[in-house]
PDB file of all heavy atoms in Angstrom:
ATOM      1  N   ILE A 183     193.645 161.662  90.258  1.00  0.00           N
ATOM      2  CA  ILE A 183     192.456 162.225  90.898  1.00  0.00           C
ATOM      3  C   ILE A 183     191.883 161.217  91.897  1.00  0.00           C
ATOM      4  O   ILE A 183     191.363 160.184  91.521  1.00  0.00           O
ATOM      5  CB  ILE A 183     191.407 162.633  89.803  1.00  0.00           C
ATOM      6  CG1 ILE A 183     191.996 163.648  88.895  1.00  0.00           C
ATOM      7  CG2 ILE A 183     190.101 163.112  90.484  1.00  0.00           C
ATOM      8  CD1 ILE A 183     191.075 164.131  87.784  1.00  0.00           C
ATOM      9  N   GLY A 184     192.085 161.542  93.172  1.00  0.00           N
ATOM     10  CA  GLY A 184     191.715 160.584  94.251  1.00  0.00           C
ATOM     11  C   GLY A 184     192.976 159.876  94.710  1.00  0.00           C
ATOM     12  O   GLY A 184     193.527 159.008  94.061  1.00  0.00           O
ATOM     13  N   THR A 185     193.484 160.346  95.878  1.00  0.00           N
ATOM     14  CA  THR A 185     194.736 159.766  96.397  1.00  0.00           C
ATOM     15  C   THR A 185     194.416 159.012  97.677  1.00  0.00           C
ATOM     16  O   THR A 185     195.112 159.202  98.722  1.00  0.00           O
ATOM     17  CB  THR A 185     195.815 160.832  96.637  1.00  0.00           C
ATOM     18  OG1 THR A 185     195.276 161.865  97.429  1.00  0.00           O
ATOM     19  CG2 THR A 185     196.287 161.412  95.351  1.00  0.00           C
ATOM     20  N   GLY A 186     193.412 158.154  97.702  1.00  0.00           N
ATOM     21  CA  GLY A 186     193.129 157.298  98.826  1.00  0.00           C
ATOM     22  C   GLY A 186     194.040 156.084  98.766  1.00  0.00           C
ATOM     23  O   GLY A 186     195.159 156.138  98.327  1.00  0.00           O
ATOM     24  N   THR A 187     193.393 154.954  99.113  1.00  0.00           N
ATOM     25  CA  THR A 187     194.224 153.689  99.179  1.00  0.00           C
ATOM     26  C   THR A 187     194.850 153.347  97.881  1.00  0.00           C
ATOM     27  O   THR A 187     196.050 153.090  97.766  1.00  0.00           O
ATOM     28  CB  THR A 187     193.334 152.512  99.698  1.00  0.00           C
ATOM     29  OG1 THR A 187     192.424 153.015 100.670  1.00  0.00           O
ATOM     30  CG2 THR A 187     194.091 151.377 100.243  1.00  0.00           C
ATOM     31  N   ILE A 188     194.071 153.319  96.783  1.00  0.00           N
ATOM     32  CA  ILE A 188     194.596 152.937  95.480  1.00  0.00           C
ATOM     33  C   ILE A 188     195.388 154.034  94.868  1.00  0.00           C
ATOM     34  O   ILE A 188     196.537 153.816  94.384  1.00  0.00           O
ATOM     35  CB  ILE A 188     193.393 152.484  94.536  1.00  0.00           C
ATOM     36  CG1 ILE A 188     192.741 151.260  95.096  1.00  0.00           C
ATOM     37  CG2 ILE A 188     193.938 152.257  93.126  1.00  0.00           C
ATOM     38  CD1 ILE A 188     191.411 150.926  94.414  1.00  0.00           C
ATOM     39  N   GLY A 189     194.878 155.230  94.870  1.00  0.00           N
ATOM     40  CA  GLY A 189     195.590 156.359  94.292  1.00  0.00           C
ATOM     41  C   GLY A 189     196.983 156.560  94.878  1.00  0.00           C
ATOM     42  O   GLY A 189     197.912 156.882  94.130  1.00  0.00           O
ATOM     43  N   ALA A 190     197.096 156.266  96.125  1.00  0.00           N
ATOM     44  CA  ALA A 190     198.428 156.471  96.804  1.00  0.00           C
ATOM     45  C   ALA A 190     199.419 155.485  96.254  1.00  0.00           C
ATOM     46  O   ALA A 190     200.620 155.800  96.020  1.00  0.00           O
ATOM     47  CB  ALA A 190     198.309 156.299  98.292  1.00  0.00           C
ATOM     48  N   VAL A 191     198.944 154.235  95.966  1.00  0.00           N
ATOM     49  CA  VAL A 191     199.881 153.221  95.401  1.00  0.00           C
ATOM     50  C   VAL A 191     200.281 153.616  93.993  1.00  0.00           C
ATOM     51  O   VAL A 191     201.437 153.476  93.554  1.00  0.00           O
ATOM     52  CB  VAL A 191     199.220 151.796  95.450  1.00  0.00           C
ATOM     53  CG1 VAL A 191     200.154 150.759  94.758  1.00  0.00           C
ATOM     54  CG2 VAL A 191     198.914 151.375  96.826  1.00  0.00           C
ATOM     55  N   VAL A 192     199.282 154.142  93.201  1.00  0.00           N
ATOM     56  CA  VAL A 192     199.579 154.633  91.884  1.00  0.00           C
ATOM     57  C   VAL A 192     200.672 155.734  91.933  1.00  0.00           C
ATOM     58  O   VAL A 192     201.627 155.748  91.150  1.00  0.00           O
ATOM     59  CB  VAL A 192     198.289 155.165  91.176  1.00  0.00           C
ATOM     60  CG1 VAL A 192     198.638 155.920  89.859  1.00  0.00           C
ATOM     61  CG2 VAL A 192     197.354 154.025  90.938  1.00  0.00           C
ATOM     62  N   CYS A 193     200.504 156.689  92.897  1.00  0.00           N
ATOM     63  CA  CYS A 193     201.512 157.754  93.030  1.00  0.00           C
ATOM     64  C   CYS A 193     202.924 157.162  93.302  1.00  0.00           C
ATOM     65  O   CYS A 193     203.897 157.619  92.719  1.00  0.00           O
ATOM     66  CB  CYS A 193     201.144 158.659  94.171  1.00  0.00           C
ATOM     67  SG  CYS A 193     199.716 159.683  93.864  1.00  0.00           S
ATOM     68  N   ARG A 194     202.936 156.127  94.117  1.00  0.00           N
ATOM     69  CA  ARG A 194     204.242 155.518  94.468  1.00  0.00           C
ATOM     70  C   ARG A 194     204.881 154.855  93.248  1.00  0.00           C
ATOM     71  O   ARG A 194     206.031 155.022  92.953  1.00  0.00           O
ATOM     72  CB  ARG A 194     204.083 154.492  95.596  1.00  0.00           C
ATOM     73  CG  ARG A 194     205.368 154.236  96.336  1.00  0.00           C
ATOM     74  CD  ARG A 194     205.203 153.660  97.750  1.00  0.00           C
ATOM     75  NE  ARG A 194     204.458 152.458  97.728  1.00  0.00           N
ATOM     76  CZ  ARG A 194     203.359 152.183  98.438  1.00  0.00           C
ATOM     77  NH1 ARG A 194     202.802 153.173  99.160  1.00  0.00           N
ATOM     78  NH2 ARG A 194     202.766 151.012  98.405  1.00  0.00           N
TER      79      ARG A 194
END
Side-chain angles (χ1 to χ4, degrees):
I183 299 181
T185 53
T187 320
I188 295 169
V191 177
V192 171
C193 289
R194 201 158 59 236

